[in-house]
Each structure stands twice: as C-alpha cells, then as structure tokens.
C-alpha cells in the first residue's frame, strides 16, 4: 500500500526575510501558497498475488462529510473506489481501519492461501 498526497490550489511566490545561514542550509527554498489550497490523498495497493485493489481517495473536509460535487464524474457501475474525508485530507486511524476491513480484506481474501 502506498499513500500519496496532492495539494490542489494555487502556489505563488512570496517575499520573505531570512538569514543567509538558513538560505544556505536550504531551509527556505520552495514555493509559497496563497491559502486557497486543499489536500487530496490517494491510497493505492496491489496484493502479492497481483490483484489491483480499488483506490481510496481522501478529501480534506472541515465538515467531515463528502460533497456531491467531488463525486459527480464517478460512475460506480464502471469504476471501483472508496471515498473518505478527514480534517487534513490525510489518512487517520479510522480511515486506515476502514481501508483494511472494507478494501484490503474483502478484495484480497479470495486470493489468500486459505481463503
């Protein structure tokens, strides 16, 4: 299983005041954000038997609820996927446990050695 986060939003350059030592150590390199970004995380996995498990997409949601507009292009008849949300857009214990029981166990049980 691998987890990859994506920042969706606008990145901008910003002016900063910093010491020469901090710059030389590489502590201040990179882009700044204007505050209008959100995080989406993808959990992807392939079992040892080569079975591709449905991905899990985790949205950042302060309300704790998925919004219909996030899923408007999803067709459950043609695509397999699990959706979740968290305050940060990253995995937490609840989402991890749900992924283990609802995705991993159900999808890999048929190819396990003892079924």
């Amino acid at each position: 299983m691998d987890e990859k986060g994506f920042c969706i939003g606008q990145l901008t350059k910003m002016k900063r005041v910093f010491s020469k030592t901090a710059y030389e150590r590489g502590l201040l390199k990179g882009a700044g954000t204007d505050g209008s970004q959100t995080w989406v995380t993808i959990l992807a996995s392939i079992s040892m038997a080569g079975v591709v498990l449905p991905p899990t997409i985790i949205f950042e949601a302060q309300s704790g609820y998925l919004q219909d507009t996030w899923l408007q292009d999803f067709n459950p008849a043609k695509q397999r996927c699990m959706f979740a949300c968290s305050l940060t857009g990253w995995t937490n214990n609840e989402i991890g446990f749900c992924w283990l029981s609802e995705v991993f166990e159900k999808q890999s049980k048929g190819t396990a050695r003892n079924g």
Side-chain angles (χ1 to χ4, degrees):
M1 192 260 289
D2 192 19
E3 175 183 48
K4 179 65 179 169
F6 299 91
C7 179
I8 299 172
Q10 296 187 5
L11 297 175
T12 60
K13 291 185 179 180
M14 57 190 330
K15 295 181 180 180
R16 298 178 269 190
V17 177
F18 51 86
S19 70
K20 182 178 178 184
T21 305
Y23 177 77
E24 290 171 346
R25 290 184 185 168
L27 300 175
L28 302 169
K29 296 180 181 177
T33 62
D34 66 357
S36 65
Q37 76 277 352
T38 186
W39 284 97
V40 175
T41 301
I42 308 292
L43 299 178
S45 185
I46 300 174
S47 74
M48 293 272 306
V51 177
V52 177
L53 304 179
T56 298
I57 301 174
I58 305 167
F59 294 95
E60 180 180 350
Q62 297 301 316
S63 68
Y65 298 104
L66 289 170
Q67 296 183 19
D68 292 342
T69 56
W70 296 343
L71 308 177
Q72 64 189 10
D73 294 329
F74 177 69
N75 182 350
K78 294 183 179 181
Q79 303 156 328
R80 298 180 313 150
C81 192
M82 180 180 131
F83 297 97
C85 60
S86 68
L87 293 175
T88 60
W90 292 93
T91 308
N92 58 30
N93 289 341
E94 182 181 341
I95 293 171
F97 181 76
C98 186
W99 178 84
L100 279 171
S101 59
E102 296 299 319
V103 177
F104 179 78
E105 184 177 18
K106 287 182 179 180
Q107 296 296 319
S108 61
K109 191 172 187 175
T111 59
R113 191 174 305 159
N114 295 323

